[in-house]
Amino acid sequence: MINIFDYLDYRAYLNDYWQDSKKNRPYFSIRFISKRVGINPGYVLKVFQSKVHLGLKNIPSFADLIGLQGKERDYFEVLVHFGRARNEKEIEAHF
């Protein structure tokens, strides 16, 4: 089981979660994920490869897909904001 609190990079977490999930659920593909969260499969793959950031409006969809609740869900949201921070002030605020 992947523990979100072991991560400071939400994209690494998402990629590891996806890789781990595929082991037990072969249907858990990029296309499956993209249909569940309502995002283009190519974009989802780029997020997992750390090439682009997840849109803020997509945080709830990914949290629901993974089944994050409570503190885990809050932490995931903070990780996305932290990853998207553009300057030192934003980085410090989300860290």
Side-chain angles (χ1 to χ4, degrees), residues 12-27:
Y13 168 73
L14 289 174
N15 188 40
D16 288 351
Y17 180 84
W18 170 53
Q19 296 296 333
D20 188 60
S21 296
K22 286 192 316 182
K23 293 175 187 174
N24 299 323
R25 300 180 283 178
Y27 63 86

Side-chain angles (χ1 to χ4, degrees), residues 17-78:
Y17 180 84
W18 170 53
Q19 296 296 333
D20 188 60
S21 296
K22 286 192 316 182
K23 293 175 187 174
N24 299 323
R25 300 180 283 178
Y27 63 86
F28 205 81
S29 66
I30 293 292
R31 285 199 173 124
F32 174 81
I33 294 168
S34 71
K35 286 181 183 178
R36 295 282 306 271
V37 297
I39 301 175
N40 177 293
Y43 189 82
V44 171
L45 183 59
K46 287 180 181 179
V47 169
F48 288 5
Q49 294 172 337
S50 297
K51 293 181 179 178
V52 297
H53 284 289
L54 185 62
L56 298 179
K57 67 181 181 178
N58 302 116
I59 294 171
S61 299
F62 272 88
D64 290 342
L65 173 74
I66 296 167
L68 298 174
Q69 298 177 5
K71 290 181 182 181
E72 292 176 335
R73 190 179 188 98
D74 294 341
Y75 186 71
F76 178 70
E77 184 172 350
V78 170

